[in-house]
Each structure stands twice: as structure tokens, then as C-alpha cells.
Amino acid sequence: MVHRKNHSSPAPPRRGGLSAAGNWFAVIAPDIGLIFLFIALVSCTPFLVGIWYGELDLLLPMASAPAGFGILGILLTNVPRGEGETHLSVALSAVALTWLIAALIGALPYTLSLGMPYTDSVFEAMSGWTGTGFSLIPSIDTAPRMILFWRSLTQWMGGLGIVAFTIALAGRSGLTRFWLYRSEGRSETFMPSVVATAAEMWRIYLVLTALGIGLVLLSGVSLWDAVNIVMTAISTGGFTVHSAGILYYESPLLEMLVVPIMIAGALPFKLYFLLYYKRKFGLLQDPQAILLFALILAGCAVITFDLVTISSLAPAEAIRQGIFMTVSGITCTGFQNANPVNWYGATVMVLTMLMLIGGSAGSTAGGIKLGRVILGLETLQWWFRRLHSGWRVVTPLRHDGRPILTHLPEYEVSKSMLVVMLFVLVVTVATLLLLHLAPYAGFDSADVIFEVVSAISNVGISTGYINPGMSPLAKWVFIIVMWTGRLEVVPVIALVLRVSRRL
């Protein structure tokens, strides 16, 4: 698709002092407003839970979220649309701002209904939207069901993305929505347009959620528990409706039934599309799926071996923890049936590496993505082939089954490696900040690194370092890390640079 530049003279300022050609916000505001209007609509769903369980006194506090999204959406949709192109930097900034505002407004029900400090509520909301799974609610077991469902719903909506969700509901395409979709960390387009792609992804998502609920019900848990578990498992989020998490149920059967659901959320959704519409079973041909299962097998073997030989666990318990924690880590779900603080350092390091790698591109999982790992390995192979064949011989880089033109490999690789480097940079900076400004007795640098990796990969597995007693500074560090990790860093940087130029 070729985008022509607009060489016409700038349009005169429109009402409200907005310049159609010069104000980036005017170009994007109506689309952002539409996003918030649809979020407001879906945010009313917890009312049904509140009415069903008789929590009528919480309807007003819960209404703060849809009201906030609705009012902001109306204001933004009424902003006169600026003329001109929607540049990628504008879309990146807009998406980062959208996710931040979603957390700021989504935090209101926690503060108004549970009396949580606003910083804690923003942390909870950001953890929900980004699918991380860290929680600062003092007592989840006593929390109202309407609020617990709101937590699960934010993870379920955020799993595929706020923008993808809105595009699917709105059913309207356009260059602006295309750039917003791509800026959210989405690159898969297995349909002719982003609208069709987003719609198909949500249909697949609904089917997987329904199938998952049926599967989890086989463990004997209630429908309420099954719905919440599956909503956060398929979205690789990890919130639960009990303080003890999955261990509350004391059911190895439930844990093993959740394992395939977590894996389903971390596989490329393109595979489900090909299976249903093309009748093509591509699981064994997809490089990301193959690497995912290979890493799961390797992780299970290493962690189980360490738990038996070093931690002296019984083989059955070691296998149980090894399988569940490995899958939860690499799929970035965050469910726990063990506390890594009790593990040997080398075992924790294996889990940390799996969390940082994450799941497949085009899935609900976080991390740097398996697709980038594969591209890195293919690039190494390409470089060695060029070394042996000579620099004058044309040696194409093959990725995803097709050759990349000789003048593009460096560009493709640099894009992917940039995200990897930014992930590492954020982990480093955040760890140093926390060690210097928010140290806690009983936790060393390895624990902090583990928590930061868990946050940036949107996993949620914790050693206990993250807790309601943390300083506000530490909480905001983690809020920013979760935010940047979900959007793969670049959109947040684009927003910061754009805002700094306006100051």
C-alpha cells in the first residue's frame, strides 16, 4: 500500500484552536474517542454479575468506569478531525496514551468500592489490562464478585488488545485504524483488512473461551470459578478469584486442565484460522508452535530435574510444579502452584529466561515473542552462510517460509532486535531504580530482576517482592514497566518524545 503525502497548503485553524494539519491530537482524537465508547459499553457487563449476586450497593462505584470511559469518549469524538496523514509516530503515541488512560479510569472501581489507595488501584488496573496478573488487593477472598469479574474482564479484553477489540466491534477500517492496530504490537493480518482480522481473532477467542470453560468444569469447580479461570487463562493473564490462586482448589486435575488452555492462548491465532476456515492443521509446520513446545519440554525437564535433585521434592510433586510453572512462565500467564522464592537460584533463572522469551507473535502472550527468537536464529544462520559463500553471492534470508530481499534483512532484523534491546534496557533501569530507591529486607537483586522480568513480560509470577506494602515509587515503577512491556516499549517512547517536545 502506497501512502501519498499531502502537499497542499495547511488548513486554517478550526474551532477550539485546533490546527487540522499541525495538531497530531486532532487527527487521532475521534478514533481514540470511539475506542473509549466501546470500552464504556463493555464495562457495563459487571453490572449483570452485581445484580445476580445481589451486590446492588456497588453498582454506583462500578459505574465510575463506564461513566469515565463514556464521558471521555464523547468529548474526543466531538473533537474536529484534523486533516492530513496519520503518521506512525502519532499512532504509536495514541495507543500508548489509550492504554495509560484505560488504567487510570479502570482503577476507579477499586478505589470507590474497596477503598484502595489510587496508586494501588492504578497498579491493579494496569496489571489487568496488560494481562500481567500482579495484585495489590489486600483480601481477594472477601472482595465483591462484581469487582473480581471486572478484574477478569479487563484481562480478557486486554488479551488481544484494546484497539483490536474496538476495531472488531466498530467494523470500520481506514488508514488511521490500520496504524493503531499495528502500533498495539499486532502484525498478523491473515484476512484482507485489519477489521476482518480483528473480527476473526475475536471469534476464535470466544470459541476458545467457551471450550476452555467446558474443559475446566470437568475438574468439579463451580461455574463462577471456571469462567474467571478460563477468562484469565486464555488471555494469559493470571488473575484468580482467591488469594491463594490456583492452589486454593488443591486440585492437580484442575492444574493439568488449565495447562492446554494457557498453551492455546500462547499459540499464533493464525493456526486456529487455518484450521477452521482452510481445514489445514499447521501446528506441526509452524516454527513458533514448534519452538514453543520444544521450550516447554526442555523447561519441564530442567525444572523438574532441579526440584528433585536440588530442592529434594518428591518426584510426583516436582513433575506437577515443573509442568505447571514452566507452561505458566513461557505462556506469560502467571498462575502459580509453587513459590519460586523456595527454589534454587539456577532453577529460578531457567524460569526467568522462559518468561522473557514469552509466547508466539499473534497470540495473547507477552515477552519478546518466539517470532523474534526465530528471526534471530535465522539471522545467525544467514550470516554464517554469507561468510562461507562470499559477500558477492546473493544469499537471501529466509523467514516464515519465504525469502526476504537482500536489501531488507538488516532492516527486518534491526526492528526485532531493537525491541529485544529495549526490553533488556528497561529491565536493567527498573532493577537499578528499585534496588536503590525501594530496597526491601529479605529480597536480593535476583528477586528484583525476577519480578521486573515478570512485569515487563506481563507474566505475574511473583516471589512476594510485590505486595501492598511497597512504596508508591516502587508501585509506579512496576506500573510503567507493565505498560511498556505490553506495548513492546516503542509506543511509550514515542509518546514520551512527543509530549516532551510540547513542553
Side-chain angles (χ1 to χ4, degrees), residues 437-475:
L437 303 177
Y440 291 100
F443 296 96
D444 56 21
S445 57
D447 295 318
V448 178
I449 293 172
F450 181 87
E451 301 284 306
V452 174
V453 170
S454 186
I456 196 170
S457 297
N458 305 131
V459 181
I461 296 177
S462 177
T463 61
Y465 179 86
I466 291 179
N467 62 82
M470 287 193 306
S471 67
L473 174 62
K475 292 171 184 176

Side-chain angles (χ1 to χ4, degrees), residues 277-447:
Y277 289 97
K278 306 293 185 180
R279 299 295 186 270
K280 179 181 178 182
F281 185 76
L283 187 64
L284 302 180
Q285 288 78 41
D286 187 85
Q288 290 193 96
I290 294 172
L291 181 57
L292 176 63
F293 286 112
L295 289 174
I296 288 174
L297 290 174
C300 288
V302 173
I303 291 177
T304 301
F305 178 79
D306 284 354
L307 292 178
V308 171
T309 59
I310 301 175
S311 301
S312 301
L313 286 183
E317 181 62 22
I319 292 173
R320 174 186 174 186
Q321 292 186 16
I323 293 175
F324 192 81
M325 293 295 286
T326 296
V327 174
S328 182
I330 194 168
T331 61
C332 301
T333 305
F335 288 143
Q336 292 182 235
N337 68 350
N339 191 340
V341 78
N342 300 321
W343 289 2
Y344 182 65
T347 314
V348 176
M349 186 59 65
V350 172
L351 185 61
T352 304
M353 293 175 61
L354 293 174
M355 293 192 307
L356 188 60
I357 292 172
S360 307
S363 72
T364 65
I368 62 175
K369 302 295 191 302
L370 294 167
R372 292 191 177 94
V373 175
I374 292 172
L375 181 58
L377 295 174
E378 290 172 339
T379 304
L380 286 176
Q381 183 183 20
W382 174 65
W383 272 102
F384 281 114
R385 284 167 53 202
R386 290 184 68 182
L387 288 174
H388 288 290
S389 60
W391 295 100
R392 295 186 178 182
V393 178
V394 177
T395 308
L397 169 64
R398 300 190 66 84
H399 178 63
D400 236 359
R402 64 181 186 275
I404 299 177
L405 298 177
T406 54
H407 64 283
L408 289 179
E410 289 87 352
Y411 172 71
E412 293 293 332
V413 173
S414 65
K415 284 198 306 181
S416 294
M417 293 306 106
L418 172 64
V419 175
V420 176
M421 292 175 60
L422 289 174
F423 262 66
V424 175
L425 181 61
V426 172
V427 170
T428 303
V429 173
T431 300
L432 290 174
L433 280 174
L434 291 167
L435 287 174
H436 282 85
L437 303 177
Y440 291 100
F443 296 96
D444 56 21
S445 57
D447 295 318

